Amino acid sequence: MSRVQPCGTLGRVLFPLFRTLAPMSQTAAVVLAAGQGTRMRSSLPKVLHPLAGRPLVGHVLDALAPLAPARTVVVIGPGMEAVAQAVAPHPTVEQTERLGTAHAVLQARDALAGFTGTVLVLYGDTPLVPSATLERLVAAQTGPEAPAVVVLGFRPEDPTGYGRLLVGPEGLEGIVEEKDATSEQRALRLCNSGVMALEGRVAFELLAQVGNANAKGEYYLTDVVALARAAGRRCHVVESAAEDLLGVNSREDLATAERVVQERLRRAAMSAGVTLSAPETVFFSWDTRLGEDVTVGPFVTFGPGVTVASGVEIKGFCHLEACTVATGALIGPYARLRPGARIAENAHIGNFVEIKNATVETGAKVNHLTYIGDARIGSRANIGAGTITCNYDGFFKHHTDIGADAFIGSNSALVAPVSVGDGAMVGAGSTITSDVPAGALALTRAPQETRDGWARRFVERMRRLKR
């Protein structure tokens, strides 16, 4: 049984219109995401586990985007509303019983009714397949021989556990599971990834013929090759690198996939003009944007939503997330830019400084041991070591505004809401609770008391007691 679930009210209104009125592209996609992922030992659906800051299934959908599929349908299991939300606006269909991969693809039959182009079958837990590989699959299926099925194959270092692709003079002749293979077939290196391109005119007709006369009683997608061959149709193979077809079924697999995607992101950054002094220690998010001539030191982590303009230096051991850094800024070492941090041109953010939901304007300096939250730091202002914007009263967040050319002395606390005017100064060690006018000096400090000779007499007394 299949149930189409366009995501959200707008999706429920527009999806039927889209199916009726939109011109057909040459490609559609079915993404299988109904697996429970028991080996992950997690309450989170397997395809929602993050890879470079984005769910696994998000990487699959992103790889499809350059192909501009006419329709993309995601097959989910019962109770997977979180997956449906994550893949929006793509519609989902529910596989109420998990009876195998062919059965899963069949759940998309109604959603793809009338489609006659190439149907790609992908897996939500196989996130590293490049767009170029999917384009080659489509090109092979729509080529002169118009094969009914094109299977994506790969040659792993250790083929143990994978089905083997049997290739002959007329192309792909069959797929044999390892447990059913002869010793000669087990020696073959070309393996089945499960990713396929099917001719839309016959795809669901073939799938409907798949039986479940096997040990598991499941309907296997791989059987469509034998069914197509029996109907006199050709089947082909397209090969891809083994790392492109890594499936994530465990936490160990997820860590392996993270290593692969981070290597890709590092190479892409360096090719785009970024200097990474210790590439293996830098971790990117899938959407990190770095300009030319950015220099990144060792052990820097980029969370989602970071944009860094050209000519920025980010020193070692920094953490950036959902923030922007403008041209010429200097960040770190050991700085943390939290969501909403906006660092303007030539600003300096130094060691053990945390910025959250705040703007640091052009040329301002926040160089040491400081927390700036819910604030504006004006152009060329200088924030002394140990300064804190006290932005939270236990119930609400409040804003601190520091004007251009202001000077905040070390170890000051600015209790928001409060403003410090342009060119004003705050004396070191002050707690500021009222606005400071432009050009003024504000300080709150107990009078200093000096007792001559007290320290010398104290030391002498302690020494006598210790004898």
Side-chain angles (χ1 to χ4, degrees):
M1 177 181 180
S2 133
R3 183 166 75 249
V4 178
Q5 299 175 339
C7 300
T9 302
L10 186 61
R12 286 191 291 272
V13 172
L14 293 182
F15 182 63
L17 294 176
F18 172 81
R19 288 181 52 189
T20 304
L21 301 176
M24 285 296 175
S25 167
Q26 292 298 309
T27 308
V30 179
V31 179
L32 305 186
Q36 293 175 306
T38 54
R39 288 170 57 192
M40 298 294 286
R41 299 184 64 84
S42 174
S43 59
L44 185 69
K46 177 170 66 170
V47 298
L48 294 186
H49 280 263
L51 177 68
R54 177 168 60 176
L56 296 173
V57 70
H59 289 270
V60 178
L61 296 173
D62 187 62
L64 280 168
L67 283 70
R71 308 174 198 175
T72 297
V73 182
V74 181
V75 182
I76 63 174
M80 288 189 170
E81 291 80 8
V83 178
Q85 293 174 8
V87 303
H90 301 296
T92 60
V93 295
E94 187 175 289
Q95 185 186 21
T96 55
E97 296 181 274
R98 294 178 174 89
L99 300 179
T101 48
H103 178 262
V105 179
L106 269 174
Q107 308 314 298
R109 174 162 42 188
D110 291 345
L112 296 184
F115 182 78
T116 58
T118 303
V119 178
L120 288 170
V121 179
L122 304 169
Y123 296 81
D125 61 1
T126 306
L128 302 178
V129 183
S131 300
T133 298
L134 300 180
E135 290 169 350
R136 289 195 294 120
L137 270 178
V138 173
Q141 199 285 305
T142 56
E145 294 185 350
V149 181
V150 181
V151 174
L152 188 58
F154 68 113
R155 300 176 187 270
E157 290 186 12
D158 180 6
T160 303
Y162 292 106
R164 306 303 202 274
L165 300 181
L166 309 180
V167 180
E170 296 186 356
L172 180 62
E173 296 180 349
I175 303 175
V176 59
E177 296 301 324
E178 186 176 63
K179 63 181 181 298
D180 300 320
T182 65
S183 57
E184 183 180 59
Q185 290 170 336
R186 288 195 188 97
L188 298 174
R189 305 290 299 180
L190 187 58
C191 295
N192 173 40
S193 72
V195 176
M196 292 186 181
L198 308 174
E199 182 187 320
R201 292 182 181 85
V202 299
F204 291 101
E205 177 185 339
L206 292 173
L207 288 164
Q209 297 176 49
V210 173
N212 66 342
N214 52 63
K216 289 188 176 181
E218 294 185 355
Y219 300 87
Y220 293 134
L221 181 60
T222 51
D223 289 351
V224 297
V225 173
L227 291 168
R229 295 279 299 179
R233 297 295 305 276
R234 286 180 176 270
C235 300
H236 284 184
V237 174
V238 167
E239 288 193 47
S240 191
E243 75 170 24
D244 296 344
L245 296 164
L246 175 67
V248 176
N249 296 300
S250 67
R251 305 281 183 163
E252 183 178 356
D253 292 341
L254 185 61
T256 300
E258 189 72 45
R259 286 194 293 272
V260 172
V261 78
Q262 289 299 330
E263 282 299 314
R264 292 181 178 182
L265 292 168
R266 292 162 187 155
R267 288 196 298 268
M270 290 186 285
S271 296
V274 175
T275 295
L276 304 179
S277 60
E280 69 281 2
T281 69
V282 176
F283 288 82
F284 291 105
S285 177
W286 67 277
D287 61 348
T288 304
R289 300 289 180 264
L290 304 181
E292 292 182 358
D293 295 317
V294 169
T295 299
V296 181
F299 298 100
V300 173
T301 298
F302 295 92
V306 176
T307 299
V308 178
S310 300
V312 170
E313 182 178 1
I314 302 172
K315 295 186 176 183
F317 298 93
C318 292
H319 188 284
L320 297 82
E321 181 180 2
C323 62
T324 59
V325 182
T327 301
L330 178 61
I331 310 297
Y334 295 97
R336 184 182 182 196
L337 302 185
R338 291 175 57 194
R342 298 169 294 277
I343 313 303
E345 292 84 354
N346 301 312
H348 290 188
I349 308 298
N351 48 290
F352 303 104
V353 171
E354 179 179 346
I355 310 289
K356 189 273 297 183
N357 191 32
T359 299
V360 180
E361 295 184 349
T362 303
K365 295 181 179 180
V366 189
N367 275 331
H368 320 281
L369 305 163
T370 293
Y371 171 69
I372 301 295
D374 299 287
R376 178 187 75 94
I377 309 300
S379 300
R380 300 173 304 281
N382 190 302
I383 310 300
T387 296
I388 297 173
T389 57
C390 307
N391 56 328
Y392 184 52
D393 63 7
F395 297 92
F396 301 101
K397 296 292 181 70
H398 301 282
H399 186 76
T400 298
D401 191 87
I402 299 174
D405 300 301
F407 182 93
I408 309 300
S410 297
N411 200 35
S412 294
L414 307 175
V415 182
V418 70
S419 66
V420 177
D422 293 349
M425 301 183 74
V426 171
S430 296
T431 298
I432 302 301
T433 58
S434 300
D435 292 350
V436 181
L441 168 66
L443 68 160
T444 59
R445 187 181 300 161
Q448 179 173 318
E449 180 182 349
T450 302
R451 300 184 181 184
D452 292 336
W454 185 94
R456 183 178 61 254
R457 293 192 296 272
F458 173 79
V459 170
E460 291 173 352
R461 185 168 66 253
M462 292 299 103
R463 285 174 176 169
R464 286 195 299 272
L465 292 173
K466 194 173 181 180
R467 288 174 184 167

